[in-house]
Amino acid sequence: MTNILIIEDEVPAANYLKGLLQQMDPQANVVGMLESVEMAISWLQSNPLPDLVFMDVQLGDGTCFEIFEQVSIGCPVIFTTAHDQYAMRAFKFNSIDYLLKPIRPELLRFSMDKYYQLNKENTTAKVRVLEEIVHSQILNKKNARRSFLVPYRDKLIPLKAQDFAWLTIQNGIVTAMLHDDRSFILDKSLEELENQLDTSNFFRANRQFIISRDCIKDIELYFNGRLLMRVYPVSTNLILVSKERVPTFKKWFEETP
């Protein structure tokens, strides 16, 4: 029996996916259907890890990537979404596939076959997934935005991505702090910026901050297993990396950009 968790904020879409899975495999056991980031975090913290997770990218209270900031998900994940803009980012996590909605039965069958193959030939499959991750990171670096035009008063200010020290959202407003201590308000969300910036140089520390490698001055061990980033230019708000995100941060920081 394959225990499957569905994280999807549209109930008809969740029921449709559940029906398809049960038609394809009588052994498919849907252990839960969750509608939000908050519900998913709570469920994953209090229940055994399922064998497989289907995860809609855009949920009612945020994106599914916020779930990974709070809990460790060690099982394969198949992402679902109506848009393909998050495909690169999805492969940074333990994704084995990425399905566009509405989900076509033949593509779902292909995804499930990949999952079964992963279980059958675990070592080979892990290598394949790692290759996909590396490939996606190369593509991300190649396609990362290098420059931005930022509205400022009656002008458009040209900025290079490498000028960004850190970016934050406060009260719904996204601000970019530059290495030279200037700051600008951006007309983009942190999620958009995270998808556009080179992930070898920028890291999503938490819901409020994206930090560059070069802005980090030192790192303090904080309580509850978290890390406190000390950055320059100085931030008036604490920049914390959650306990669950610490291994990911260490791996990112120690890699050569």
Side-chain angles (χ1 to χ4, degrees), residues 69 167-170 190 204-210 238:
E69 297 175 6
L167 306 101
T168 186
I169 182 167
Q170 304 292 335
L190 278 191
R204 182 71 178 266
N206 53 47
R207 294 187 184 187
Q208 286 75 40
F209 281 92
I210 297 174
L238 295 182

Side-chain angles (χ1 to χ4, degrees), residues 102 158 179 188 197 221 234 241 249-250:
H179 290 292
K188 298 181 180 296
L197 293 170
L221 298 177
V234 175
V241 176
F249 169 78
K250 288 182 177 179

Side-chain angles (χ1 to χ4, degrees), residues 221-227 241-244 246:
L221 298 177
Y222 210 64
F223 65 90
N224 289 339
R226 294 177 291 176
L227 297 178
V241 176
S242 69
K243 179 180 179 179
E244 291 76 16
V246 167

Side-chain angles (χ1 to χ4, degrees), residues 46-229:
S46 56
N47 289 276
L49 196 66
D51 299 311
L52 175 65
V53 177
F54 281 85
M55 191 176 288
D56 185 16
V57 172
Q58 294 175 306
L59 301 169
D61 57 346
T63 68
C64 69
F65 303 115
E66 297 173 25
I67 299 170
F68 291 88
E69 297 175 6
Q70 302 296 322
V71 294
S72 176
I73 303 177
C75 65
V77 176
I78 296 175
F79 290 94
T80 65
T81 182
H83 310 282
D84 61 1
Q85 68 191 80
Y86 295 101
M88 295 296 182
R89 188 175 175 194
F91 279 107
K92 293 193 296 180
F93 301 95
N94 44 334
S95 166
I96 61 171
D97 214 343
Y98 187 94
L99 294 172
L100 290 177
K101 296 192 291 187
I103 295 173
R104 291 161 51 189
E106 65 272 20
L107 295 182
L108 178 61
R109 165 61 69 187
F110 179 78
S111 296
M112 292 302 294
D113 286 344
K114 285 179 69 175
Y115 166 73
Y116 296 134
Q117 187 70 14
L118 179 67
N119 277 353
K120 186 188 243 183
E121 301 175 10
N122 198 33
T123 302
T124 302
K126 281 184 177 179
V127 171
R128 187 182 305 116
V129 171
L130 287 173
E131 287 174 346
E132 289 175 342
I133 292 172
V134 171
H135 180 61
S136 69
Q137 289 176 338
I138 291 172
L139 285 174
N140 181 275
K141 189 166 185 176
K142 180 179 179 181
N143 297 325
R145 285 190 60 170
R146 297 182 179 181
S147 58
F148 294 80
L149 285 175
V150 178
Y152 181 74
R153 297 179 180 174
D154 58 347
K155 299 179 181 178
L156 289 174
I157 307 296
L159 297 177
K160 295 180 180 179
Q162 65 190 35
D163 295 333
F164 294 155
W166 46 264
L167 306 101
T168 186
I169 182 167
Q170 304 292 335
N171 299 319
I173 298 174
V174 174
T175 302
M177 178 63 71
L178 308 190
H179 290 292
D180 62 9
D181 214 14
R182 291 182 297 159
S183 64
F184 293 90
I185 294 175
L186 305 183
D187 58 353
K188 298 181 180 296
S189 68
L190 278 191
E191 285 71 25
E192 289 177 302
L193 291 164
E194 184 176 11
N195 287 322
Q196 294 173 358
L197 293 170
D198 182 356
T199 55
S200 67
N201 290 321
F202 291 90
F203 182 81
R204 182 71 178 266
N206 53 47
R207 294 187 184 187
Q208 286 75 40
F209 281 92
I210 297 174
I211 58 177
S212 72
R213 185 186 301 272
D214 295 334
C215 82
I216 301 172
K217 296 307 174 185
D218 61 62
I219 303 167
E220 180 180 326
L221 298 177
Y222 210 64
F223 65 90
N224 289 339
R226 294 177 291 176
L227 297 178
L228 172 63
M229 303 290 109

